[in-house]
């Protein structure tokens, strides 16, 4: 799974095809033009708005489906920012996989005192991405991972669409702070930003919840990913601004 020693990395896929994005009839389906000229239905694994990212006429990289019985024969994998030239991953499941491996490898120095315990830890009716145990004292840390794709210049923004589920997760962490230690890790699926903040113009409630959670002791961390046509690699730390 690693591209080089000490760097957590995931293989995105082989056999990517560069196509042209034409339209998005619903949250999970795109119409894309293949090199031969045919327009195909494509599965989009990111239900966010992706404003400024999915632009008609822009190149998009697709992966052919392995299951011959699947309704859509292609999946959208990445696009490229025309200004920075950075690739942007469109698979919201990759950050959790990447961070799990990073925890297992001990490669997140934000959490150097913590050991991976389990993923998808349930408390009541809520489920949190990761539970960590402190290496020396009797303490547990809940970590939620949030995928970031939207940017405004060099600043990453979250969310790019209203996320009641995301707000519930952060509210839950704030309520559990004290019984557990709690944190949110924003993972930018692009390498061309230097900070992350909320997007109150899109989801004012999430922005309010995020700011209040930070005041109650929930910690917020940010990481970028270096994205290539073959791999998603854990990148540098970046600051998170929780203020509105």
């Amino acid at each position: 799974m690693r591209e080089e020693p000490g760097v957590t990395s995931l293989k995105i896929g082989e056999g990517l095809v560069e196509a042209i994005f034409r339209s998005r009839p619903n949250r999970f389906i795109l119409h894309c033009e293949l090199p031969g000229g045919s327009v195909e239905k494509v599965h989009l694994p990111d239900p966010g708005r992706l404003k400024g990212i999915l632009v008609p006429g822009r190149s998009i990289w697709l992966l052919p489906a392995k299951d011959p019985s699947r309704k859509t024969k292609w999946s959208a994998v990445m696009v490229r920012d025309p200004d920075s030239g950075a690739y942007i991953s469109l698979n919201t499941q990759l950050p959790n996989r990447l961070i799990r491996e990073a925890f297992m490898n001990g490669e997140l120095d934000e959490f150097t005192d913590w050991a991976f315990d389990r993923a998808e830890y349930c408390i009541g009716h809520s489920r949190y991405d990761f539970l960590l145990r402190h290496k020396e004292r009797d303490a547990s840390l809940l970590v939620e991972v949030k995928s970031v794709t939207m940017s405004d210049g060099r600043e990453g923004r979250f969310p790019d669409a209203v996320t009641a589920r995301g707000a519930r997760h952060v509210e839950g962490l704030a309520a559990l702070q004290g019984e557990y230690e709690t944190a949110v890790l924003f993972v930018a699926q692009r390498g061309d930003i230097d900070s992350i903040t909320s997007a109150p113009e899109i989801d004012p409630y999430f922005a309010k919840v995020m700011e209040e959670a930070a005041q109650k002791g929930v910690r917020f961390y940010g990481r970028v990913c270096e994205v290539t046509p073959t791999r998603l690699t854990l990148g540098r730390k970046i600051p998170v601004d929780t203020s509105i």
Side-chain angles (χ1 to χ4, degrees):
M1 296 290 286
R2 296 192 189 187
E3 188 173 54
E4 59 183 75
V7 178
T8 300
S9 179
L10 295 177
K11 191 174 182 180
I12 291 176
E14 294 180 342
L16 290 184
V17 173
E18 184 177 351
I20 299 173
F21 168 64
R22 291 304 183 195
S23 64
R24 185 181 185 180
N26 63 52
R27 288 199 305 163
F28 295 103
I29 294 293
L30 306 179
H31 289 156
C32 299
E33 183 179 335
L34 297 183
S38 65
V39 176
E40 302 286 342
K41 284 185 178 181
V42 174
H43 172 65
L44 175 67
D46 186 339
R49 275 206 262 172
L50 299 172
K51 185 178 180 181
I53 294 176
L54 285 180
V55 177
R58 186 171 293 177
S59 291
I60 184 168
W61 282 262
L62 311 178
L63 188 67
K66 294 181 180 179
D67 183 357
S69 64
R70 210 178 79 168
K71 290 183 179 180
T72 51
K73 305 302 182 185
W74 300 88
S75 291
V77 174
M78 64 181 66
V79 293
R80 199 168 192 179
D81 186 282
D83 297 321
S84 69
Y87 288 100
I88 306 168
S89 168
L90 299 175
N91 189 338
T92 57
Q93 297 177 358
L94 290 180
N96 280 61
R97 289 174 51 199
L98 186 74
I99 296 305
R100 175 172 181 151
E101 186 173 340
F103 280 143
M104 300 293 288
N105 295 339
E107 291 175 8
L108 287 162
D109 57 13
E110 305 94 312
F111 304 96
T112 189
D113 295 327
W114 300 89
F116 176 83
D117 187 304
R118 70 191 76 175
E120 299 187 350
Y121 181 66
C122 294
I123 302 175
H125 296 294
S126 298
R127 184 173 60 187
Y128 297 94
D129 288 329
F130 297 103
L131 175 71
L132 310 182
R133 303 286 187 189
H134 200 275
K135 293 177 181 178
E136 296 181 357
R137 55 187 172 86
D138 184 17
S140 301
L141 172 63
L142 296 171
V143 181
E144 270 294 300
V145 174
K146 300 298 180 188
S147 169
V148 177
T149 54
M150 183 174 70
S151 73
D152 181 3
R154 301 288 299 185
E155 183 178 69
R157 310 290 299 282
F158 183 90
D160 75 343
V162 174
T163 175
R165 182 171 178 268
R168 285 197 304 271
H169 285 159
V170 177
E171 286 176 317
L173 291 177
L176 289 165
Q177 178 65 28
E179 181 181 357
Y180 294 84
E181 295 187 38
T182 58
V184 176
L185 176 57
F186 289 109
V187 178
Q189 295 203 76
R190 55 194 299 165
D192 60 345
I193 62 172
D194 299 319
S195 63
I196 294 173
T197 189
S198 62
E201 73 282 2
I202 293 175
D203 192 340
Y205 186 70
F206 181 88
K208 173 177 175 288
V209 166
M210 179 172 161
E211 183 177 56
E212 291 175 348
Q215 293 169 355
K216 292 177 180 177
V218 179
R219 286 170 281 172
F220 288 82
Y221 301 101
R223 284 273 185 163
V224 299
C225 293
E226 299 304 326
V227 185
T228 72
T230 57
R231 304 197 76 85
L232 182 80
T233 302
L234 183 67
R236 59 193 162 84
K237 294 185 291 186
I238 56 173
V240 175
D241 182 0
T242 60
S243 61
I244 299 176

